[in-house]
Amino acid sequence: MRKIIRCLVMVAACMPVLLFAQDDDSKYLAGAVPEVDGKVVFTKEFDLKGADRDAIYDRIYEWLDKRMKANENNSRISYTKKEEGQIVAQGEEYLVFSSNAFSLDRSMMSYNLVVLCKPGKCEMSIERIRYSYEDSRYTAEEQISDGMALNKKKTSIYRGNRRFRVKTVDYVDDLFENAGMALGLRDVAAIALPAQAQQTATVPPVATEPALSTEVTVQSVQAVEKPAPAPTIATPVPLPEEANVSAAPANITVTPASSSGKPVSLEGYKHLSPDKIPGNIIKMLNEDWMLITAGTDAKFNMMTASWGGLGVLYGKPVATCFINPTRYTYQLMETNETYTLTFYTEAYREALQYCGSNSGRDQDKVKGSGLTPVTTPSGSKAFSEAWLIIECRKLIGQSLSHDALFDEKVKNEWAGKQLHKMYIGEIINVWVK
């Protein structure tokens, strides 16, 4: 009897090892997570021989729009340019590691999905992947890249990284597979939706539409070479700054503000209340940046900024930004009551870099940036390329002083330099695409 018990104990002790050893990680080892210039970028190319670019665009847009809307999180299509076949979406979905009656272990994953439609071809890439897990945040480069997740011989995955890497690779494969189905099937009702949306959303069939081609081949390709994203910055972009900006004709129809106080609208945008502003404002400022635009049709200017925040003051929803008095935008901010803070997708990184390194005092920044000015019902200026427009009315303006600085490092860094002026504005309108 003792021998039997001893054998059972030994078997039980070995079971976790045996079960773990049964995991086949070959699919998730070296090459499963491609990188471009040190950034994780998953890329897929769909071969649609003979298909028209607009037909490809319409089909993939319909599928992507339904997928993003079916998600209960902040997933959305944030940018489109049909004449060039471009679609950019920002996705947020849960990766569920384990789920039972007593516990739920999951991580929120956010990402950018970039689609480029061409005659006979559709290119799709997933990039800027980030995870929010418990109280921590990680980038894909920190969590699932070969250098962080695999051992030196690339023969196994570190246990702490395994679930993130496996779930991400599986998620990407599933998304690409569904995209291929949308492009090649007569009935796209079979397309899988995010798990949390399957109970509440269905994709209507389009059986009456012809398939894009009689045969669709989905091919894996190497990640397309792309310029490296601009480095993360923690201080405002230095600007030499800025001259009179010639007002360009707006291409967005504006509905005048209602005297009853009802929400006003911009064509192509949805009007939101300030408490519904989507996204992580710290990430949106520090990594993605924004434009501060002050002035009116007669004279206005924009500057790139990465300092600011959202909050509540005197019972009002407010936004905070900082402008150095040496900037041309400062003059316009001082002489006008309202202004806008606008946010953009990665597709407009170069435009924001331009606005942050060129002066409006000696050139037309609107023309140089390629952005399209629009006028809000209150008379503020913004740009139609923004996915988010926050319009503010000045509430407080306060110049910073060196005596007010508590951080010795910051105090030393700014010793003898002109400090910024802080503007706290009441949020009077929010529009999102």
Side-chain angles (χ1 to χ4, degrees):
M1 186 65 180
R2 290 181 179 177
K3 290 183 178 180
I4 294 174
I5 294 174
R6 188 179 298 114
C7 290
L8 290 174
V9 171
M10 292 177 64
V11 170
C14 292
M15 280 184 67
V17 178
L18 293 173
L19 290 173
F20 182 74
Q22 289 175 356
D23 291 327
D24 181 9
D25 285 340
S26 57
K27 173 185 174 181
Y28 309 103
L29 297 179
V33 178
E35 296 182 39
V36 178
D37 294 332
K39 299 293 183 181
V40 171
V41 181
F42 292 92
T43 305
K44 206 79 166 181
E45 181 178 291
F46 302 92
D47 186 4
L48 306 162
K49 295 178 180 178
D52 177 73
R53 185 187 69 182
D54 287 348
I56 297 173
Y57 178 96
D58 291 340
R59 184 65 65 86
I60 202 67
Y61 180 91
E62 179 185 15
W63 164 77
L64 186 57
D65 185 51
K66 288 182 172 69
R67 184 182 179 99
M68 294 292 113
K69 288 180 178 178
N71 197 324
E72 295 178 356
N73 302 310
N74 291 321
S75 298
R76 66 185 182 279
I77 292 178
S78 55
Y79 170 77
T80 60
K81 197 167 187 179
K82 185 171 182 178
E83 61 269 24
E84 296 183 8
Q86 297 178 6
I87 305 174
V88 178
Q90 294 177 306
E92 284 189 0
E93 299 188 35
Y94 282 109
L95 300 181
V96 179
F97 303 134
S98 64
S99 176
N100 55 52
F102 303 101
S103 66
L104 174 62
D105 186 18
R106 66 183 183 179
S107 172
M108 174 66 78
M109 179 178 73
S110 62
Y111 59 89
N112 280 8
L113 177 61
V114 181
V115 180
L116 180 60
C117 303
K118 302 178 180 179
K121 186 179 298 184
C122 179
E123 298 172 357
M124 187 176 293
S125 63
I126 298 176
E127 55 194 49
R128 301 192 71 182
I129 299 173
R130 296 179 179 275
Y131 308 97
S132 296
Y133 181 66
E134 295 180 342
D135 295 327
S136 300
R137 294 178 181 175
Y138 310 94
T139 64
E141 292 74 31
E142 295 170 329
Q143 191 68 282
I144 68 170
S145 63
D146 286 1
M148 297 298 295
L150 303 183
N151 64 356
K152 290 184 178 180
K153 294 183 179 180
K154 311 298 184 186
T155 56
S156 65
I157 309 173
Y158 293 127
R159 195 165 186 175
N161 304 81
R162 184 182 183 280
R163 55 185 176 175
F164 286 91
R165 185 171 171 111
V166 168
K167 288 291 184 179
T168 302
V169 171
D170 287 346
Y171 176 85
V172 170
D173 286 348
D174 179 72
L175 188 147
F176 284 154
E177 181 180 356
N178 290 330
M181 293 169 62
L183 291 168
L185 294 181
R186 296 181 64 85
D187 186 350
V188 299
I191 296 175
L193 292 173
Q196 63 267 38
Q198 289 180 357
Q199 297 179 355
T200 59
T202 58
V203 181
V206 291
T208 56
E209 297 183 12
L212 291 176
S213 64
T214 56
E215 181 178 357
V216 177
T217 303
V218 181
Q219 300 176 333
S220 296
V221 298
Q222 295 296 322
V224 179
E225 192 73 21
K226 295 182 178 180
T232 299
I233 57 174
T235 57
V237 179
L239 307 181
E241 288 259 78
E242 295 139 351
N244 293 354
V245 179
S246 58
N251 65 354
I252 291 182
T253 302
V254 174
T255 302
S258 169
S259 59
S260 64
K262 294 182 179 180
V264 294
S265 61
L266 291 176
E267 185 177 311
Y269 287 85
K270 178 181 179 181
H271 193 276
L272 297 180
S273 61
D275 63 328
K276 303 298 182 183
I277 293 175
N280 181 328
I281 190 62
I282 295 178
K283 175 182 179 298
M284 290 159 59
L285 287 168
N286 190 48
E287 297 180 23
D288 300 337
W289 311 338
M290 69 176 175
L291 290 182
I292 303 173
T293 305
T296 63
D297 284 330
K299 183 192 296 184
F300 68 94
N301 193 69
M302 67 285 202
M303 59 173 282
T304 307
S306 63
W307 287 4
L310 302 177
V312 178
L313 184 63
Y314 302 131
K316 302 176 183 291
V318 296
T320 305
C321 65
F322 299 82
I323 302 178
N324 196 290
T326 60
R327 305 295 173 87
Y328 177 63
T329 304
Y330 174 83
Q331 303 170 23
L332 297 168
M333 194 75 160
E334 286 288 289
T335 56
N336 289 277
E337 181 183 12
T338 62
Y339 59 96
T340 64
L341 309 177
T342 51
F343 299 82
Y344 303 80
T345 66
E346 185 67 23
Y348 294 99
R349 174 68 68 173
E350 290 186 5
L352 268 66
Q353 288 176 323
Y354 172 86
C355 293
S357 57
N358 289 273
S359 174
R361 288 193 175 96
D362 50 35
Q363 58 187 286
D364 187 338
K365 288 182 68 173
V366 171
K367 182 178 180 180
S369 67
L371 298 176
T372 309
V374 295
T375 305
T376 73
S378 299
S380 305
K381 300 300 294 186
F383 299 94
S384 64
E385 288 79 6
W387 71 265
L388 174 65
I389 300 174
I390 300 176
E391 184 178 28
C392 300
R393 179 186 296 114
K394 286 190 300 184
L395 184 63
I396 291 178
Q398 178 64 56
S399 297
L400 303 183
S401 68
H402 290 85
D403 292 339
L405 297 176
F406 289 102
D407 189 300
E408 288 299 326
K409 183 178 179 181
V410 174
K411 183 178 293 187
N412 292 334
E413 180 183 353
W414 286 90
K417 299 179 182 178
Q418 174 72 61
L419 292 181
H420 295 66
K421 185 170 184 177
M422 175 181 65
Y423 293 92
I424 302 177
E426 177 187 0
I427 299 174
I428 57 175
N429 281 300
V430 178
W431 294 281
V432 65
K433 280 189 177 178

